[in-house]
Amino acid sequence: MLFIVTTYLCLGLLLYFLLGGADFGAGIVELFTSRKNRSRIRTTMYHAIGPIWEANHMWLIIAIVILFVGFPKIYTVMSIYLHIPLMIMLVGIIARGTAFVFRHYDAVKDNMQVLYNSIFEYSSIITPLFLGIIAGSAISGNINPEADKFMEAYVWSWLHWFSVAVGLFTVTLCGFLAAVFLIGEATDVYDKQRFIRKARHFNIAAVICGALVFLAAYKQEIPLLNWLFGNAVSFIALMAATVSLGLLWYLLRKGKSKILRFLAGFQVSMILLAISFSNFPDFIIIKNGTNISLWSSQATASTINALGWALVIGSIFILPALIYLIYSFQKHQINEH
Amino acid sequence: MNDLLAARSQMALSLGFHIIYACIGMVMPFFMAVSHYAWLKTNNGIYKNLTKAWSKGVAIFFATGAVSGTMLSFELGLLWPRFMEHAGPIFGMPFSLEGTAFFIEAIALGFFLYGWDIFNRWFHWFTGVVVGISGLASGILVVAANSWMNSPSGFTFRNGQYLDIDPVKAMFNDAWFTQALHMTIAAFAATGFAVAGVHALMILRRRNIVFHQKAFTIAAIFGTLAALVQPLSGDISAKDVARRQPAKLAAMEAHFETEEAASLVIGGLPDEKNRKVDYAIKIPGLLSFLVHGNFKDEVKGLNDIPVQNHPPVLITHFAFQIMVGLGTFMMLISVIYFLVLWKKREMLFSRWLLTLFVLATPLGFIAIEAGWTVTEVGRQPWIIYGIMSTADAVTPMPGIAISFGFFAAIYLSLSVVVIYLLYRQIKMVPQLYDKPENITNKTI
Ligand code: HDD
Ligand code: HEM
Ligand code: HEM
């Protein structure tokens, strides 16, 4: 059962990163679009993510529940030492979710829209930025339970070059995922061209931020190179990501949306796999070297069993419905009025 | 403000905010389903418009409920890490099942909101019902988690360790049924009265009368039915509390001394220092009756409980009085409504009856907040009753007061925006739903 629970945890995080990431990214793409084209993008975007955005949100909740039920130590250590970035991320989630709905459901379309839009766009950046910062901090080895000063325990645990670089990298990846996803949703040639251009720009930005991550790791003596090249799986995953990058640029020129989506998702998954594999099952790397791993922090067997069954039974209900939802909306144009 | 107080206030604020959205998210889908059903059966366009108008409200509330709920699942750890470290694996079962319920709710809502004219009509209707049922299920599940904090079970506590964990037993603890029952009925009563009140106001203002009359009737029937049975379920809850948490009961009733033929204290100002209640009405024997079913038996008072385990009496007592007072008032309105419905149909939309409902708009929600205050404050100083104290559970991070202030500002502004949006939705009803072709001559 531990295996099943862990699989769900990883899957939940991966899906949140991909689908939620594309969702955040849509806001980022919107922000980096010239004002006169923004409203077009909004319409496209609404059609693309409207029906499933609630569901996207769920992956995070599932991952969190699995953490606090099955691996309480991980949940509590993160809650204590990454309190501040978690809070900021939460504020981002709140602001974004509500602004998205408000701007759509406000019965009167007036100046309030400007406010909703800018809240939506900026929180679309803040949320993945801090998501990345949190992920980066978990593996950076800066969390220090022995610290007795406020700054050291609760601020320097997450505020450092490496985590910020990972945060920026995350933002660019989200923008990239969204741009690629939107190519397939574009209704005319101009829009399509625009999204293709955006996808390129975000891809370049991602490569630059990726380089920043390496620099920061080098500066903070985080053995990132060792993690990525020290084992076969990470290495192969990294190669696969690189190859798909080339393929992606080639296909971008053709604008083949279905394959592009798949490739972009694949590429991001490979990057995540490459980074996490060599640390697995360690989840948090602590300053003094006593890492917190999934295995060492697991709850008792009875809890893991119950959790596993709950997840399996839940999926039996959820998956068919979710697949049917996505299928239906791929088939029909969304019709809301 | 010290960190513990700030953390408690922040938790209370977040939950108090979330519960409003949660209740509406649980109950409105049923109103929609009734109106939707009426449309499918009668083909009266007003019902279709009503369903759509309500569904927009639900979408707004659902989103706010979902984000505030997401907040909560983090906040449990951000504020109470020591609690979650031990409690998570024990009371986590309902949360993991709740995940499924939420997920199904979100999917069904996707079908419902975006599925007009796409799917088979009855399938579309059914997805709306699924939204309601899964919302209800998730509400019941979280309450089961909360009731575990009041009535911990499913583990053995030995030498400070939590052993022999049984998550299923923990979920079906002693308190879950009474709490879940009372909460579910409360959600229907509060939402029913709130929605009915808003539509009653619109009828009084003579806007779109036919539309609002239909809306009022659906909401009022749900709300009044629930309000009629609420005191019964509350009585069951009180008996239950007396059995498992005598300190909470004593605080609710401001019952300072153990006595036989204990009297029920109504109103009054509890004086914790001198252990008496000033200015109260006392009805001899009634408390014994409510707790034990006869007028003589002994009811345990706070004097038999160590002082360090006393909950704050003043807040608990006041909150309880507010809940019961409002509950009684709502029950009376319901009795009147059903009398009118039964004997004097022509008075159904008379000014005085509508005015009564307008006045009652916020009462259910006030009662809900008061009820949760009773449950949660009455559990103090424990976070897990009898096992772990709230002070031991709080996060070691200092400066929680800042975060509390910050969240207070966010919740406040969110509430303002939501109210503003709903106001605009209602104001736009004439433009959006009042096209002549939608109106038929049929009234109720
Ligand atoms: C519309 C809202 C509403 C109304 C009218 C009432 N209640 Fe209530 N009550 C709640 C809403 C509520 C609640 C918010 O839903 C609580 C908080 C926790 C819970 O499970 O339900 C609650 C808790 C609660 C508790 C504590 C349960 C516990 O701690 O486990 C008791 C003893 C009562 N109620 C009793 C009553 C009585 C005797 C009422 C008589 C009229 C009454 N309630 C009306
Ligand atoms: C939504 C309805 C709820 C409301 C309005 C509510 C209200 C409150 C209030 C007023 C407090 C502060 C009590 C005090 O410190 O004096 C509190 C504390 C708390 N509640 Fe609730 N509560 C609700 C449901 C829940 C649920 C479902 C859970 C968990 C499963 C929960 C978990 C907690 C925790 C962990 C605390 C902090 C510890 C404590 O003060 O005992 N609450 N809540
Ligand atoms: C008695 C207290 C509670 C009740 C009755 C309740 C009920 C609900 C309901 C019905 C929803 C669906 C939202 C909607 O339809 O508008 C919801 C959302 C949510 N609640 Fe609560 N809840 C309570 C307390 C809590 C607590 C303590 C937590 C955190 C641990 C929590 C976590 C969530 C989450 C994560 C969501 C969002 C799920 C989604 O995206 O749909 N709730 N809650």
Side-chain angles (χ1 to χ4, degrees), chain B residues 143 146 150 175 178-180 182-183 185-187 189-190 230-231 234-235 237-238 240-241 244-245 248 252 320 323-324 326-328 330 363-365 367-372 374-375:
Chain B
V143 172
N146 175 266
N150 284 321
T178 41
Q179 266 195 253
H182 194 60
M183 175 70 233
I185 301 174
Q230 183 74 347
D235 182 49
S237 292
D240 201 36
V241 171
R244 62 183 156 76
Q245 289 175 293
K248 184 191 276 183
M252 277 156 47
F320 188 62
M323 169 171 64
V324 175
L326 294 178
T328 315
M330 286 161 70
L363 299 189
F365 281 103
I368 284 191
E369 302 285 354
W372 278 105
V374 173
T375 305

Short mmCIF file of all heavy atoms in Angstrom, two decimals, chain B residues 143 146 150 175 178-180 182-183 185-187 189-190 230-231 234-235 237-238 240-241 244-245 248 252 320 323-324 326-328 330 363-365 367-372 374-375, ligand 1:
data_model
loop_
_atom_site.label_atom_id
_atom_site.label_comp_id
_atom_site.label_asym_id
_atom_site.label_seq_id
_atom_site.Cartn_x
_atom_site.Cartn_y
_atom_site.Cartn_z
N VAL B 143 -17.03 17.21 9.12
CA VAL B 143 -17.56 17.30 10.46
C VAL B 143 -17.16 16.05 11.25
O VAL B 143 -16.88 16.14 12.46
CB VAL B 143 -19.08 17.51 10.44
CG1 VAL B 143 -19.66 17.42 11.83
CG2 VAL B 143 -19.39 18.87 9.86
N ASN B 146 -13.88 16.80 12.61
CA ASN B 146 -13.98 17.72 13.74
C ASN B 146 -14.51 17.01 14.99
O ASN B 146 -14.02 17.22 16.10
CB ASN B 146 -14.90 18.89 13.38
CG ASN B 146 -15.13 19.80 14.55
OD1 ASN B 146 -16.10 19.64 15.27
ND2 ASN B 146 -14.21 20.72 14.77
N ASN B 150 -13.49 16.32 19.34
CA ASN B 150 -14.33 16.39 20.52
C ASN B 150 -14.41 15.05 21.24
O ASN B 150 -14.63 14.99 22.44
CB ASN B 150 -15.75 16.79 20.13
CG ASN B 150 -15.85 18.25 19.80
OD1 ASN B 150 -15.22 19.06 20.46
ND2 ASN B 150 -16.59 18.59 18.78
N ALA B 175 -19.13 11.10 18.45
CA ALA B 175 -19.82 12.37 18.22
C ALA B 175 -20.21 12.58 16.77
O ALA B 175 -20.96 13.49 16.46
CB ALA B 175 -18.95 13.53 18.69
N THR B 178 -24.25 12.72 15.70
CA THR B 178 -25.04 13.86 16.17
C THR B 178 -24.55 15.16 15.54
O THR B 178 -25.34 15.99 15.13
CB THR B 178 -25.00 14.01 17.70
OG1 THR B 178 -23.69 13.77 18.14
CG2 THR B 178 -25.96 13.07 18.37
N GLN B 179 -23.23 15.31 15.47
CA GLN B 179 -22.71 16.57 14.90
C GLN B 179 -23.05 16.70 13.43
O GLN B 179 -23.46 17.76 12.96
CB GLN B 179 -21.20 16.65 15.11
CG GLN B 179 -20.83 17.41 16.36
CD GLN B 179 -19.35 17.79 16.37
OE1 GLN B 179 -18.58 17.23 17.11
NE2 GLN B 179 -18.97 18.73 15.54
N ALA B 180 -22.87 15.60 12.70
CA ALA B 180 -23.12 15.67 11.25
C ALA B 180 -24.59 15.93 10.98
O ALA B 180 -24.95 16.73 10.11
CB ALA B 180 -22.67 14.38 10.57
N HIS B 182 -26.78 17.46 12.94
CA HIS B 182 -27.13 18.83 13.33
C HIS B 182 -26.58 19.84 12.32
O HIS B 182 -27.25 20.79 11.94
CB HIS B 182 -26.58 19.11 14.73
CG HIS B 182 -27.14 20.32 15.39
ND1 HIS B 182 -28.47 20.49 15.65
CD2 HIS B 182 -26.53 21.44 15.85
CE1 HIS B 182 -28.67 21.66 16.24
NE2 HIS B 182 -27.51 22.26 16.36
N MET B 183 -25.35 19.60 11.88
CA MET B 183 -24.72 20.50 10.92
C MET B 183 -25.47 20.49 9.59
O MET B 183 -25.68 21.54 8.98
CB MET B 183 -23.27 20.05 10.72
CG MET B 183 -22.51 20.82 9.67
SD MET B 183 -22.20 22.48 10.23
CE MET B 183 -22.86 23.42 8.87
N ILE B 185 -28.60 19.70 8.91
CA ILE B 185 -29.89 20.39 9.03
C ILE B 185 -29.65 21.90 9.12
O ILE B 185 -30.36 22.69 8.49
CB ILE B 185 -30.66 19.89 10.27
CG1 ILE B 185 -30.90 18.39 10.15
CG2 ILE B 185 -31.98 20.60 10.39
CD1 ILE B 185 -31.52 17.78 11.38
N ALA B 186 -28.62 22.28 9.87
CA ALA B 186 -28.33 23.71 10.02
C ALA B 186 -28.03 24.35 8.67
O ALA B 186 -28.48 25.47 8.38
CB ALA B 186 -27.14 23.91 10.96
N ALA B 187 -27.28 23.64 7.83
CA ALA B 187 -26.94 24.19 6.52
C ALA B 187 -28.20 24.46 5.72
O ALA B 187 -28.34 25.52 5.10
CB ALA B 187 -26.01 23.24 5.77
N ALA B 189 -31.27 24.92 6.93
CA ALA B 189 -32.06 25.98 7.55
C ALA B 189 -31.45 27.34 7.22
O ALA B 189 -32.15 28.25 6.77
CB ALA B 189 -32.11 25.77 9.06
N ALA B 190 -30.14 27.47 7.41
CA ALA B 190 -29.51 28.78 7.22
C ALA B 190 -29.60 29.23 5.77
O ALA B 190 -29.99 30.36 5.47
CB ALA B 190 -28.07 28.72 7.68
N GLN B 230 -34.69 21.30 13.56
CA GLN B 230 -33.39 21.67 14.12
C GLN B 230 -33.35 21.59 15.65
O GLN B 230 -32.42 21.01 16.20
CB GLN B 230 -33.02 23.08 13.65
CG GLN B 230 -31.67 23.57 14.09
CD GLN B 230 -30.55 22.90 13.34
OE1 GLN B 230 -30.75 21.90 12.67
NE2 GLN B 230 -29.36 23.41 13.46
N PRO B 231 -34.33 22.14 16.36
CA PRO B 231 -34.26 22.05 17.83
C PRO B 231 -34.25 20.60 18.33
O PRO B 231 -33.59 20.30 19.33
CB PRO B 231 -35.53 22.78 18.28
CG PRO B 231 -35.79 23.74 17.17
CD PRO B 231 -35.45 23.00 15.94
N GLY B 234 -30.88 19.47 17.96
CA GLY B 234 -30.07 20.18 18.96
C GLY B 234 -30.19 19.54 20.33
O GLY B 234 -29.22 19.43 21.08
N ASP B 235 -31.38 19.07 20.64
CA ASP B 235 -31.59 18.41 21.92
C ASP B 235 -30.76 17.12 21.99
O ASP B 235 -30.12 16.83 23.00
CB ASP B 235 -33.08 18.12 22.09
CG ASP B 235 -33.37 17.48 23.43
OD1 ASP B 235 -32.89 18.02 24.44
OD2 ASP B 235 -34.06 16.44 23.47
N SER B 237 -28.04 16.61 20.41
CA SER B 237 -26.64 17.04 20.56
C SER B 237 -26.33 17.38 22.00
O SER B 237 -25.29 17.00 22.54
CB SER B 237 -26.37 18.27 19.71
OG SER B 237 -26.42 17.96 18.35
N ALA B 238 -27.24 18.10 22.65
CA ALA B 238 -26.97 18.53 24.02
C ALA B 238 -26.83 17.34 24.95
O ALA B 238 -25.91 17.28 25.78
CB ALA B 238 -28.10 19.45 24.50
N ASP B 240 -25.85 14.44 24.12
CA ASP B 240 -24.60 13.83 23.75
C ASP B 240 -23.41 14.55 24.39
O ASP B 240 -22.50 13.94 24.94
CB ASP B 240 -24.52 13.92 22.22
CG ASP B 240 -23.57 12.92 21.66
OD1 ASP B 240 -23.52 11.82 22.20
OD2 ASP B 240 -22.89 13.27 20.68
N VAL B 241 -23.45 15.89 24.32
CA VAL B 241 -22.37 16.68 24.90
C VAL B 241 -22.29 16.43 26.40
O VAL B 241 -21.21 16.26 26.97
CB VAL B 241 -22.58 18.18 24.63
CG1 VAL B 241 -21.59 19.02 25.42
CG2 VAL B 241 -22.44 18.48 23.16
N ARG B 244 -20.39 13.18 26.89
CA ARG B 244 -18.97 13.05 26.58
C ARG B 244 -18.11 14.26 26.95
O ARG B 244 -16.90 14.12 27.10
CB ARG B 244 -18.76 12.68 25.11
CG ARG B 244 -19.27 13.68 24.13
CD ARG B 244 -19.12 13.23 22.71
NE ARG B 244 -20.09 13.91 21.89
CZ ARG B 244 -19.99 15.17 21.50
NH1 ARG B 244 -18.96 15.88 21.82
NH2 ARG B 244 -20.94 15.72 20.77
N GLN B 245 -18.70 15.44 27.06
CA GLN B 245 -17.90 16.61 27.42
C GLN B 245 -18.62 17.44 28.49
O GLN B 245 -19.11 18.54 28.20
CB GLN B 245 -17.65 17.49 26.18
CG GLN B 245 -16.68 16.86 25.19
CD GLN B 245 -16.55 17.70 23.95
OE1 GLN B 245 -17.50 17.84 23.19
NE2 GLN B 245 -15.39 18.31 23.74
N LYS B 248 -17.94 21.15 28.68
CA LYS B 248 -18.54 21.98 27.64
C LYS B 248 -20.00 22.27 27.97
O LYS B 248 -20.46 23.41 27.87
CB LYS B 248 -18.43 21.28 26.29
CG LYS B 248 -18.95 22.11 25.12
CD LYS B 248 -19.06 21.31 23.84
CE LYS B 248 -17.76 21.22 23.09
NZ LYS B 248 -17.90 20.50 21.80
N MET B 252 -21.70 25.86 28.47
CA MET B 252 -22.84 26.29 27.64
C MET B 252 -23.96 26.82 28.52
O MET B 252 -24.60 27.82 28.23
CB MET B 252 -23.38 25.10 26.83
CG MET B 252 -22.66 24.80 25.56
SD MET B 252 -22.85 23.08 25.03
CE MET B 252 -24.56 22.77 25.17
N PHE B 320 -24.10 29.94 22.95
CA PHE B 320 -25.16 28.93 23.03
C PHE B 320 -26.54 29.59 23.09
O PHE B 320 -27.48 29.18 22.41
CB PHE B 320 -24.94 28.03 24.24
CG PHE B 320 -25.88 26.86 24.28
CD1 PHE B 320 -25.87 25.92 23.26
CD2 PHE B 320 -26.79 26.71 25.31
CE1 PHE B 320 -26.74 24.85 23.28
CE2 PHE B 320 -27.67 25.64 25.34
CZ PHE B 320 -27.65 24.71 24.32
N MET B 323 -27.50 30.84 19.68
CA MET B 323 -27.94 29.77 18.78
C MET B 323 -29.33 29.30 19.13
O MET B 323 -30.21 29.21 18.26
CB MET B 323 -26.95 28.60 18.83
CG MET B 323 -27.45 27.35 18.15
SD MET B 323 -26.18 26.10 18.02
CE MET B 323 -25.86 25.73 19.72
N VAL B 324 -29.56 29.02 20.40
CA VAL B 324 -30.86 28.48 20.78
C VAL B 324 -31.95 29.51 20.58
O VAL B 324 -33.04 29.19 20.07
CB VAL B 324 -30.81 27.99 22.24
CG1 VAL B 324 -32.19 27.53 22.68
CG2 VAL B 324 -29.83 26.86 22.38
N LEU B 326 -32.05 31.98 18.39
CA LEU B 326 -32.35 32.10 16.96
C LEU B 326 -33.05 30.85 16.46
O LEU B 326 -33.97 30.93 15.64
CB LEU B 326 -31.06 32.34 16.17
CG LEU B 326 -30.37 33.67 16.47
CD1 LEU B 326 -29.09 33.80 15.68
CD2 LEU B 326 -31.30 34.83 16.14
N GLY B 327 -32.61 29.69 16.96
CA GLY B 327 -33.24 28.44 16.54
C GLY B 327 -34.72 28.44 16.89
O GLY B 327 -35.57 28.05 16.08
N THR B 328 -35.04 28.91 18.09
CA THR B 328 -36.43 28.94 18.50
C THR B 328 -37.23 29.90 17.62
O THR B 328 -38.33 29.59 17.17
CB THR B 328 -36.52 29.39 19.97
OG1 THR B 328 -35.53 28.67 20.71
CG2 THR B 328 -37.88 29.12 20.56
N MET B 330 -36.54 30.88 14.57
CA MET B 330 -36.71 30.34 13.22
C MET B 330 -37.77 29.24 13.21
O MET B 330 -38.53 29.09 12.24
CB MET B 330 -35.37 29.81 12.69
CG MET B 330 -34.42 30.93 12.29
SD MET B 330 -32.71 30.38 12.20
CE MET B 330 -32.77 29.33 10.77
N LEU B 363 -30.22 35.21 10.06
CA LEU B 363 -30.27 34.53 11.36
C LEU B 363 -29.65 33.15 11.35
O LEU B 363 -28.90 32.77 12.25
CB LEU B 363 -31.71 34.46 11.86
CG LEU B 363 -32.39 35.80 12.07
CD1 LEU B 363 -33.73 35.61 12.77
CD2 LEU B 363 -31.49 36.72 12.88
N GLY B 364 -29.95 32.37 10.31
CA GLY B 364 -29.41 31.01 10.27
C GLY B 364 -27.90 31.02 10.29
O GLY B 364 -27.27 30.22 11.01
N PHE B 365 -27.32 31.92 9.54
CA PHE B 365 -25.85 31.94 9.50
C PHE B 365 -25.27 32.43 10.81
O PHE B 365 -24.23 31.94 11.26
CB PHE B 365 -25.35 32.74 8.30
CG PHE B 365 -25.44 31.94 7.05
CD1 PHE B 365 -26.43 32.15 6.12
CD2 PHE B 365 -24.53 30.91 6.81
CE1 PHE B 365 -26.53 31.37 4.99
CE2 PHE B 365 -24.62 30.13 5.69
CZ PHE B 365 -25.63 30.35 4.77
N ALA B 367 -26.62 31.84 13.63
CA ALA B 367 -26.74 30.67 14.51
C ALA B 367 -25.62 29.66 14.23
O ALA B 367 -25.09 29.04 15.14
CB ALA B 367 -28.11 30.01 14.32
N ILE B 368 -25.28 29.50 12.96
CA ILE B 368 -24.21 28.55 12.62
C ILE B 368 -22.89 29.00 13.23
O ILE B 368 -22.17 28.20 13.85
CB ILE B 368 -24.09 28.40 11.09
CG1 ILE B 368 -25.22 27.53 10.59
CG2 ILE B 368 -22.74 27.80 10.72
CD1 ILE B 368 -25.09 27.09 9.17
N GLU B 369 -22.59 30.27 13.08
CA GLU B 369 -21.32 30.75 13.65
C GLU B 369 -21.34 30.58 15.17
O GLU B 369 -20.36 30.17 15.79
CB GLU B 369 -21.10 32.24 13.31
CG GLU B 369 -21.07 32.55 11.82
CD GLU B 369 -19.78 32.11 11.15
OE1 GLU B 369 -18.86 31.66 11.85
OE2 GLU B 369 -19.70 32.20 9.90
N ALA B 370 -22.50 30.88 15.77
CA ALA B 370 -22.60 30.73 17.22
C ALA B 370 -22.44 29.28 17.62
O ALA B 370 -21.71 28.95 18.57
CB ALA B 370 -23.95 31.27 17.70
N GLY B 371 -23.07 28.39 16.85
CA GLY B 371 -22.99 26.96 17.17
C GLY B 371 -21.56 26.46 17.11
O GLY B 371 -21.10 25.71 17.98
N TRP B 372 -20.82 26.89 16.09
CA TRP B 372 -19.43 26.45 16.01
C TRP B 372 -18.60 27.04 17.13
O TRP B 372 -17.67 26.42 17.61
CB TRP B 372 -18.82 26.77 14.64
CG TRP B 372 -19.19 25.74 13.65
CD1 TRP B 372 -20.11 25.86 12.66
CD2 TRP B 372 -18.69 24.40 13.58
NE1 TRP B 372 -20.22 24.69 11.97
CE2 TRP B 372 -19.36 23.78 12.52
CE3 TRP B 372 -17.76 23.66 14.32
CZ2 TRP B 372 -19.12 22.44 12.16
CZ3 TRP B 372 -17.53 22.35 13.96
CH2 TRP B 372 -18.19 21.74 12.89
N VAL B 374 -19.70 27.51 20.10
CA VAL B 374 -19.97 26.64 21.24
C VAL B 374 -19.09 25.39 21.15
O VAL B 374 -18.40 25.02 22.10
CB VAL B 374 -21.46 26.22 21.26
CG1 VAL B 374 -21.69 25.16 22.33
CG2 VAL B 374 -22.34 27.41 21.48
N THR B 375 -19.13 24.75 19.99
CA THR B 375 -18.39 23.50 19.85
C THR B 375 -16.90 23.69 20.07
O THR B 375 -16.26 22.92 20.78
CB THR B 375 -18.63 22.93 18.45
OG1 THR B 375 -20.03 22.81 18.26
CG2 THR B 375 -17.98 21.58 18.28
C1 HDD C 1 -28.95 27.19 11.74
C2 HDD C 1 -28.16 26.96 12.66
C3 HDD C 1 -28.41 26.34 14.02
C4 HDD C 1 -29.54 26.40 14.85
C5 HDD C 1 -30.84 27.11 14.57
C6 HDD C 1 -29.24 25.62 16.02
N1 HDD C 1 -27.98 25.11 15.91
FE1 HDD C 1 -26.98 24.01 17.32
N2 HDD C 1 -25.28 24.07 16.16
C7 HDD C 1 -25.21 24.53 14.89
C8 HDD C 1 -26.17 25.23 14.22
C9 HDD C 1 -27.45 25.54 14.72
C10 HDD C 1 -23.91 24.19 14.18
C11 HDD C 1 -23.16 25.37 13.66
O1 HDD C 1 -24.14 23.49 13.04
C12 HDD C 1 -23.20 23.30 15.27
C13 HDD C 1 -21.72 23.54 15.55
C14 HDD C 1 -21.10 22.16 15.52
C15 HDD C 1 -22.11 21.27 15.00
O2 HDD C 1 -21.99 20.07 14.76
O3 HDD C 1 -23.26 21.97 14.78
C16 HDD C 1 -24.12 23.42 16.47
C17 HDD C 1 -23.78 22.83 17.67
C18 HDD C 1 -24.67 22.58 18.72
C19 HDD C 1 -24.30 21.92 19.95
C20 HDD C 1 -22.90 21.44 20.31
C21 HDD C 1 -22.60 20.12 19.70
C22 HDD C 1 -21.18 19.66 20.03
O4 HDD C 1 -20.37 20.43 20.56
O5 HDD C 1 -20.90 18.52 19.70
C23 HDD C 1 -25.46 21.84 20.71
C24 HDD C 1 -25.60 21.23 22.07
C25 HDD C 1 -26.53 22.45 19.92
N3 HDD C 1 -26.00 22.89 18.73
C26 HDD C 1 -27.84 22.57 20.34
C27 HDD C 1 -28.79 23.33 19.66
C28 HDD C 1 -30.12 23.56 20.18
C29 HDD C 1 -30.67 23.00 21.48
C30 HDD C 1 -30.78 24.35 19.28
C31 HDD C 1 -32.21 24.78 19.50
C32 HDD C 1 -32.87 25.54 18.85
C33 HDD C 1 -29.84 24.62 18.18
N4 HDD C 1 -28.65 23.98 18.46
C34 HDD C 1 -30.13 25.42 17.07
#
